[in-house]
Amino acid sequence: MLDPLGVDEATFAVYHALLSQPESTPEQIAALVERPVNDVHDLMDKLRKLDLLVPTWANPEGEHAVHPRVGLANLAERRRTALNAELGLLREAEASAEVVAEQYNELLTARSSGDVEVIKGRANVSRRIDELAMKARDTFWALVPAHVDDTARPVAGSPDLPLLERGIRMRAVYLQNMMESKVATDYAETIHRMGGEVRATPTIPLRLLIFDQEIAIMPMDPDNPTAGAVIHRSPAVVSVTIALFDSYWARASEMFSPEDRDNESPLTPHEAEVLRLLAGGAKDEQVARLLGISLRTARRITANLSERLDAASRFELGVAAAKRGWV
């Protein structure tokens, strides 16, 4: 109970014995607390360091245990001061960590302009993509050639799932031969059931990721995925990558039918909150503001919910959601 003050159970036992039997010798204290005399001497030294055992004014050669209200309060204040000092150091460390992170980004990124980042190394690219994915607001589109990663990752722990759970609209085009893998097919099917759009095509020129139709990521060398990646923000370059994606998306074939979507699956946190706000009479603008998402994302979530529940109006959406116990 008093461990945060530096007073463990054994120390407190000796302290309590000295308070209740102030005239006792170390040997008598040892008998009271059922500990060896040497241990009691060590514990009394600890009490002295904690200022809980101090010399007696009337008898300089004697000692007495300090009243708990004084001694323990002083310890608490000392501990509080130490914690505040540590908290200050922690804040400084956090600020330093942010500086180091920025320096690390600069180390990884060689910017030829404000619109281009060149990142070397596969691990560094993965970390940067994760960072950008966390900031995505509306859409995530991907061309995924199998030769980039011949082994599909299990669904659990996939970076795609948090995007879908946040209501990000996802489109992915895979190579048809990649779908010969059961793991890859199961992965794509799960993405589809959660609301992502999945298609397949015979050929894909390179790996391409597009966030919010504003950021495009492509490999430095399509034949060497470990070399690194180039991140473009230039509207001209991003427009070209969007046109490329749209071209392959239009030619790709649907892997699953809309009826395969898991309309009975649990709501994502964003969907549940949107439904709650809509049920309370909130407009799309209010939903977007309260959830900190774009108006377009709020409207898309509402549209997706209406499609899942086959609702033609917000009233029908509310009725259907209530029947499922979602609101």
Side-chain angles (χ1 to χ4, degrees), residues 8-50:
D8 56 27
E9 184 178 350
T11 306
F12 179 75
V14 173
Y15 177 53
H16 185 269
L18 289 169
L19 287 170
S20 57
Q21 303 287 337
E23 303 299 329
S24 298
T25 64
E27 290 74 17
Q28 291 170 324
I29 296 295
L32 286 172
V33 300
E34 298 180 348
R35 286 184 174 274
V37 174
N38 289 340
D39 286 358
V40 169
H41 280 293
D42 291 340
L43 293 169
M44 290 177 67
D45 284 340
K46 185 175 181 180
L47 289 171
R48 293 184 185 101
K49 293 177 182 177
L50 294 172

Coordinates of all heavy atoms in Angstrom, one line a residue, residues 8-50:
D8 N 8.1 -0.6 1.8 CA 7.6 -1.9 1.5 C 7.0 -2.5 2.7 O 7.0 -2.0 3.8 CB 8.6 -2.8 0.8 CG 9.9 -2.9 1.6 OD1 9.8 -2.8 2.9 OD2 10.9 -3.2 1.0
E9 N 6.5 -3.7 2.6 CA 5.8 -4.4 3.7 C 6.8 -4.6 4.9 O 6.4 -4.4 6.0 CB 5.2 -5.7 3.2 CG 4.4 -6.5 4.3 CD 3.8 -7.8 3.7 OE1 3.9 -8.0 2.5 OE2 3.3 -8.6 4.5
A10 N 8.0 -5.1 4.6 CA 8.9 -5.4 5.7 C 9.3 -4.1 6.4 O 9.4 -4.0 7.7 CB 10.1 -6.1 5.1
T11 N 9.6 -3.0 5.6 CA 10.0 -1.7 6.2 C 8.8 -1.2 7.1 O 9.1 -0.7 8.2 CB 10.3 -0.7 5.1 OG1 11.3 -1.3 4.3 CG2 10.9 0.6 5.7
F12 N 7.6 -1.3 6.6 CA 6.5 -0.8 7.3 C 6.3 -1.6 8.6 O 5.9 -1.0 9.7 CB 5.2 -0.9 6.5 CG 4.0 -0.4 7.2 CD1 3.7 0.9 7.5 CD2 3.0 -1.3 7.8 CE1 2.6 1.4 8.1 CE2 1.9 -0.9 8.5 CZ 1.7 0.5 8.7
A13 N 6.5 -2.9 8.6 CA 6.4 -3.7 9.8 C 7.3 -3.2 10.9 O 6.9 -3.0 12.1 CB 6.7 -5.2 9.5
V14 N 8.6 -2.9 10.6 CA 9.5 -2.4 11.6 C 9.1 -1.0 12.0 O 9.1 -0.6 13.2 CB 10.9 -2.4 11.0 CG1 11.9 -1.6 11.9 CG2 11.4 -3.8 10.7
Y15 N 8.7 -0.1 11.1 CA 8.2 1.2 11.4 C 7.0 1.2 12.3 O 7.0 1.9 13.4 CB 7.8 1.9 10.1 CG 7.2 3.3 10.2 CD1 7.9 4.3 10.9 CD2 6.0 3.6 9.6 CE1 7.4 5.6 11.1 CE2 5.5 4.9 9.7 CZ 6.2 5.9 10.5 OH 5.7 7.1 10.6
H16 N 6.1 0.3 12.1 CA 4.9 0.2 12.9 C 5.3 -0.3 14.3 O 4.7 0.1 15.4 CB 3.9 -0.8 12.3 CG 2.6 -0.9 13.0 ND1 2.4 -1.9 14.0 CD2 1.5 -0.2 13.0 CE1 1.2 -1.8 14.5 NE2 0.6 -0.7 13.9
A17 N 6.2 -1.3 14.4 CA 6.7 -1.7 15.7 C 7.4 -0.6 16.5 O 7.2 -0.5 17.7 CB 7.7 -2.9 15.5
L18 N 8.2 0.2 15.8 CA 8.8 1.3 16.5 C 7.8 2.4 17.0 O 8.0 3.0 18.0 CB 9.8 2.0 15.6 CG 11.1 1.1 15.3 CD1 11.9 1.8 14.1 CD2 12.0 1.0 16.5
L19 N 6.7 2.5 16.2 CA 5.7 3.4 16.7 C 4.9 2.9 17.9 O 4.6 3.7 18.8 CB 4.7 3.7 15.5 CG 5.2 4.6 14.4 CD1 4.2 4.5 13.2 CD2 5.4 6.0 14.8
S20 N 4.7 1.6 17.9 CA 3.9 1.0 19.0 C 4.7 0.7 20.2 O 4.2 0.7 21.3 CB 3.1 -0.2 18.4 OG 4.0 -1.2 17.9
Q21 N 6.0 0.4 20.0 CA 6.9 0.0 21.1 C 8.1 0.9 21.0 O 9.2 0.4 20.7 CB 7.2 -1.5 21.0 CG 6.0 -2.4 21.0 CD 5.4 -2.5 22.4 OE1 6.0 -2.2 23.4 NE2 4.1 -2.9 22.4
P22 N 8.0 2.2 21.3 CA 9.2 3.1 21.0 C 10.4 2.8 21.8 O 11.5 3.2 21.4 CB 8.6 4.5 21.4 CG 7.4 4.2 22.2 CD 6.9 2.9 21.8
E23 N 10.3 2.1 23.0 CA 11.4 1.9 23.8 C 12.1 0.5 23.5 O 13.1 0.1 24.1 CB 11.0 1.8 25.3 CG 10.3 3.1 25.8 CD 11.2 4.3 25.6 OE1 12.5 4.2 25.8 OE2 10.7 5.4 25.4
S24 N 11.6 -0.2 22.4 CA 12.1 -1.5 22.1 C 13.5 -1.4 21.5 O 13.9 -0.5 20.8 CB 11.2 -2.2 21.2 OG 9.9 -2.4 21.7
T25 N 14.3 -2.5 21.8 CA 15.7 -2.6 21.2 C 15.5 -3.3 19.8 O 14.5 -3.9 19.5 CB 16.6 -3.4 22.1 OG1 16.0 -4.8 22.2 CG2 16.7 -2.8 23.5
P26 N 16.5 -3.2 19.0 CA 16.4 -4.0 17.7 C 16.1 -5.4 17.9 O 15.4 -6.0 17.1 CB 17.8 -3.7 17.1 CG 18.3 -2.4 17.6 CD 17.7 -2.4 19.1
E27 N 16.7 -6.0 19.0 CA 16.4 -7.5 19.2 C 14.9 -7.7 19.5 O 14.3 -8.7 19.0 CB 17.2 -8.0 20.3 CG 18.7 -8.1 20.0 CD 19.4 -6.7 20.0 OE1 18.8 -5.7 20.5 OE2 20.5 -6.7 19.5
Q28 N 14.3 -6.8 20.3 CA 12.9 -6.9 20.6 C 12.0 -6.6 19.4 O 11.0 -7.3 19.2 CB 12.6 -5.9 21.7 CG 13.2 -6.3 23.1 CD 13.0 -5.2 24.1 OE1 13.1 -4.0 23.8 NE2 12.9 -5.5 25.4
I29 N 12.4 -5.7 18.6 CA 11.7 -5.4 17.3 C 11.8 -6.6 16.4 O 10.8 -7.0 15.8 CB 12.3 -4.2 16.6 CG1 12.1 -2.9 17.4 CG2 11.7 -4.0 15.2 CD1 10.7 -2.5 17.6
A30 N 12.9 -7.3 16.4 CA 13.1 -8.5 15.5 C 12.1 -9.6 16.0 O 11.5 -10.3 15.1 CB 14.5 -9.0 15.6
A31 N 11.9 -9.7 17.3 CA 11.0 -10.7 17.8 C 9.5 -10.3 17.4 O 8.7 -11.2 17.1 CB 11.1 -10.8 19.3
L32 N 9.2 -9.0 17.5 CA 7.9 -8.5 17.2 C 7.5 -8.8 15.7 O 6.4 -9.2 15.3 CB 7.7 -7.1 17.5 CG 7.6 -6.7 19.0 CD1 7.7 -5.2 19.1 CD2 6.3 -7.2 19.6
V33 N 8.5 -8.5 14.8 CA 8.2 -8.6 13.4 C 8.6 -10.0 12.8 O 8.4 -10.3 11.6 CB 8.9 -7.5 12.6 CG1 8.4 -6.2 13.0 CG2 10.4 -7.6 12.7
E34 N 9.2 -10.8 13.7 CA 9.6 -12.2 13.3 C 10.6 -12.2 12.1 O 10.4 -12.8 11.1 CB 8.3 -13.0 12.9 CG 7.4 -13.2 14.1 CD 6.1 -14.0 13.7 OE1 5.9 -14.2 12.5 OE2 5.4 -14.4 14.6
R35 N 11.6 -11.4 12.3 CA 12.7 -11.3 11.3 C 14.0 -11.3 12.0 O 14.1 -11.0 13.2 CB 12.6 -10.0 10.5 CG 11.4 -10.0 9.5 CD 11.5 -8.7 8.7 NE 10.5 -8.8 7.6 CZ 10.7 -9.3 6.4 NH1 11.9 -9.8 6.1 NH2 9.7 -9.3 5.5
P36 N 15.1 -11.7 11.3 CA 16.4 -11.8 11.9 C 16.8 -10.4 12.3 O 16.4 -9.4 11.7 CB 17.3 -12.3 10.8 CG 16.4 -13.1 9.9 CD 15.1 -12.3 9.9
V37 N 17.7 -10.3 13.3 CA 18.1 -9.0 13.8 C 18.9 -8.2 12.8 O 18.7 -7.0 12.6 CB 19.0 -9.2 15.1 CG1 19.6 -7.8 15.5 CG2 18.2 -9.8 16.2
N38 N 19.7 -8.9 12.0 CA 20.4 -8.2 10.9 C 19.5 -7.5 9.9 O 19.7 -6.4 9.5 CB 21.3 -9.2 10.2 CG 22.5 -9.6 11.0 OD1 22.9 -9.0 12.0 ND2 23.1 -10.8 10.7
D39 N 18.4 -8.2 9.6 CA 17.4 -7.6 8.7 C 16.8 -6.4 9.3 O 16.5 -5.4 8.6 CB 16.3 -8.6 8.4 CG 16.7 -9.7 7.4 OD1 17.9 -9.7 7.0 OD2 15.9 -10.6 7.1
V40 N 16.5 -6.5 10.6 CA 15.9 -5.3 11.3 C 16.9 -4.1 11.3 O 16.4 -3.0 11.0 CB 15.5 -5.7 12.7 CG1 15.2 -4.4 13.5 CG2 14.4 -6.7 12.7
H41 N 18.2 -4.4 11.5 CA 19.1 -3.3 11.4 C 19.1 -2.6 10.0 O 19.1 -1.4 9.9 CB 20.5 -3.8 11.7 CG 20.8 -3.9 13.2 ND1 20.8 -2.9 14.1 CD2 21.0 -5.1 14.0 CE1 21.1 -3.3 15.3 NE2 21.2 -4.6 15.3
D42 N 19.1 -3.5 9.0 CA 19.0 -2.9 7.6 C 17.7 -2.1 7.3 O 17.8 -1.1 6.7 CB 19.1 -4.1 6.6 CG 20.5 -4.8 6.6 OD1 21.4 -4.1 7.0 OD2 20.5 -5.9 6.1
L43 N 16.6 -2.6 7.9 CA 15.4 -1.9 7.7 C 15.3 -0.6 8.4 O 14.7 0.4 8.0 CB 14.2 -2.8 8.1 CG 14.0 -4.1 7.2 CD1 13.0 -5.0 7.8 CD2 13.5 -3.6 5.8
M44 N 15.9 -0.6 9.6 CA 16.0 0.7 10.4 C 16.9 1.7 9.6 O 16.6 2.9 9.6 CB 16.6 0.4 11.8 CG 15.6 -0.4 12.7 SD 16.2 -0.8 14.3 CE 16.4 0.8 15.0
D45 N 18.0 1.2 9.0 CA 18.8 2.1 8.2 C 17.9 2.7 7.0 O 18.1 3.9 6.7 CB 20.0 1.4 7.6 CG 21.1 1.1 8.6 OD1 21.1 1.8 9.6 OD2 21.9 0.2 8.4
K46 N 17.1 1.9 6.5 CA 16.2 2.4 5.4 C 15.3 3.4 5.9 O 15.0 4.4 5.3 CB 15.4 1.2 4.8 CG 14.6 1.6 3.6 CD 14.0 0.4 2.9 CE 13.1 0.8 1.7 NZ 12.5 -0.4 1.1
L47 N 14.7 3.2 7.1 CA 13.8 4.2 7.7 C 14.5 5.5 8.0 O 13.9 6.6 7.9 CB 13.2 3.6 9.0 CG 12.2 2.5 8.9 CD1 11.9 1.8 10.2 CD2 10.9 3.0 8.2
R48 N 15.8 5.4 8.4 CA 16.6 6.6 8.6 C 16.7 7.4 7.3 O 16.6 8.6 7.3 CB 18.0 6.3 9.2 CG 17.9 5.7 10.6 CD 19.3 5.4 11.1 NE 19.2 4.8 12.4 CZ 19.4 3.5 12.6 NH1 19.8 2.7 11.6 NH2 19.3 2.9 13.8
K49 N 17.0 6.7 6.2 CA 17.1 7.4 4.9 C 15.8 8.0 4.5 O 15.8 9.0 3.7 CB 17.6 6.4 3.9 CG 19.1 5.9 4.1 CD 19.5 4.8 3.1 CE 20.9 4.3 3.4 NZ 21.3 3.3 2.4
L50 N 14.7 7.4 4.9 CA 13.4 7.9 4.5 C 12.9 9.0 5.5 O 11.8 9.6 5.4 CB 12.4 6.8 4.5 CG 12.5 5.7 3.4 CD1 11.6 4.6 3.6 CD2 12.3 6.4 2.0

